[in-house]
Amino acid sequence: MTSETIFLTPTDLSLAALLVIALALVSRRMKLGLAGQILMAAFRTTVQLCLVGLVLKVVFASIHPFLVASMAVVMLVAAAREVMARQKRRFVGWWGFGMGAVSMFVSSFAVTTFALAAIIGVDPWYTPQYAIPLLGMMLGNTMTGISLGLDRLTESAWERRSTIEGRLMLGHTWSEAIGEIRRTSVRSAMIPTINSMAAAGLVSLPGMMTGQILAGNPPLEAVKYQILIMFIISAGTGFGALIAVWTGARRLFDDRHRLRLDRLKTSGQ
Amino acid sequence: MEKQSVPRLRVNNLFIHDVGPVSLDVEKGECVGLSGASGSGKSLFLRAIADIEPHGGTICLDGTEQALIPAPAWRRQVGLLPAESRWWSDTVGDHFSTSAAGGFNRLGFDAGILTWPVSRLSSGERQRLALLRLMENQPYLLLLDEPTANLDEENSAKVEELIRSYREETGAAVVWVGHQRAQLYRVASRFFAMDSGRMIGDGGAP
């Protein structure tokens, strides 16, 4: 059962690119205002992935902890910026960046390290061929979760500011006043991962597994890795969102339990 | 020893946004009337006293400075009734910790009101219930922002009576923000007005 891996040629990719260009043309005709964005995103995918391929080639070639660490830091910074950019109302100053970065660092790095050292058991645990893809998948998913959670938190706090203040006026603590919003924010951060766990295999074949199978690996091996990935992604996203939303909720109030929406700014300002 | 000379509320050189400096003493059991055009800073003034927004100056309750009392405890003692009440749960009862039936009767409700969904309440009912909800905390100082704005004459009178008796029974002080002169005359013993963030008047007739 040797299914030879078929290597893709630039021509193959160009054919796929034609599909994207067709989509852009249609959306232009229908005045969706997305044509530019589609092409730009496709362009970015191509350039960014090619670059990362080159970098990975170098990083994989030498198992040097410093190289792996710098790569991880770059990924973390990019993810934290992305979290910030996705907020309609974000925290001013370093908080906007730091909250995402710290919560992703704590959850993604902790869970990835655990997976590498305790579960997969590669030696050394930072072997880039395992560490970088795992961390990348963790960061990508926690990023989505954390931005959903924070966005929901700040947006709801803004919309329901009078109600929150109404409760504060009655002597409720900040935690009581924001409790319901905090819960729904964490829920909305966690539900997509929970749903994707529930639908995996039935509705969708997860991308990582599909990729492995396409690359010629036995399906059951791919499945085992996919299950592992699903578990650690759920844990990472969940804990990351909890940390981010809890910190964010605290930051919305000062030590006199006052709602401080002046600590938020609308993006684009 | 000097207990008599410590006012219930002492506001000294208060600043909040464009409002201030404002200084005001309110004695125990006293009701002070405050009027002024909308936007003159009355509500901000009340928000500062309730410590719901950052502000400058000193505010003391019975001689204790605001910063020395944890904020939630302060706001239970200094009850602010905003002009528009807010409700966060489905039924009226969810917003009350006890069923203070006495209060409900005095404002024309029976105890069954607790099972009502908030969405069924009229604005006048909401306003009266918000007052009862606030008074559950037994505040030493009531800050009322147009507490009868949505009420007919009969219900206004009931609210005025409830506040008056609460004041007399407990020695609570009241700052009553309102627009109707006749009402302020009835409920308050001293009067001030706000004008572009300044407190004007000497406590005499509005």
Side-chain angles (χ1 to χ4, degrees), chain A residues 12-35:
Chain A
D12 300 335
L13 292 180
S14 311
L15 281 174
L18 278 180
L19 292 175
V20 177
I21 292 171
L23 180 67
L25 286 176
V26 171
S27 64
R28 186 173 161 181
R29 264 203 84 92
M30 298 185 69
K31 297 195 170 67
L32 298 182
L34 278 177

Side-chain angles (χ1 to χ4, degrees), chain B residues 8 29 41 43-44 52 54 56 68 97 117 124 142 157 167 173 176 179-180 187:
Chain B
R8 168 79 6 129
S43 300
L44 274 178
I52 211 83
L68 298 177
S97 46
L142 276 170
R167 203 158 50 80
W176 188 306
H179 282 303
Q180 297 169 282
V187 298

Side-chain angles (χ1 to χ4, degrees), chain A residues 129-150:
Chain A
Q129 199 185 336
Y130 288 85
I132 299 293
L134 267 186
L135 186 64
M137 247 178 307
M138 287 297 295
L139 280 176
N141 285 279
T142 30
M143 180 180 82
T144 310
I146 288 174
S147 16
L148 277 175
L150 280 180

Side-chain angles (χ1 to χ4, degrees), chain A residues 153-185:
Chain A
L153 174 78
T154 52
E155 194 60 27
S156 316
W158 180 269
E159 273 166 14
R160 296 168 64 186
R161 55 190 182 279
S162 318
T163 308
I164 297 173
E165 287 193 334
R167 299 187 69 160
L168 294 174
M169 286 171 196
L170 288 167
H172 295 187
T173 63
W174 70 269
S175 187
E176 290 167 325
I178 195 95
E180 187 60 36
I181 291 176
R182 194 169 50 183
R183 266 193 301 279
T184 47
S185 305

Side-chain angles (χ1 to χ4, degrees), chain B residues 84-106:
Chain B
E84 207 172 312
S85 63
R86 295 289 165 171
W87 305 82
W88 54 88
S89 199
D90 293 341
T91 66
V92 173
D94 294 342
H95 300 84
F96 287 82
S97 46
T98 56
S99 44
F104 288 110
N105 291 336
R106 293 173 73 172

Side-chain angles (χ1 to χ4, degrees), chain A residues 165 168 170-171 256-258, chain B residues 47 51 66 69 71 75 137:
Chain A
E165 287 193 334
L168 294 174
L170 288 167
R256 294 295 295 170
H257 298 250
R258 296 182 284 224
Chain B
R47 283 169 69 86
D51 203 12
Q66 199 174 51
I69 301 179
R75 294 189 196 117
N137 289 336

Side-chain angles (χ1 to χ4, degrees), chain B residues 26-40:
Chain B
V26 183
E27 301 298 329
K28 273 180 198 136
E30 187 187 23
C31 178
V32 168
L34 185 58
S35 59
S38 51
S40 59

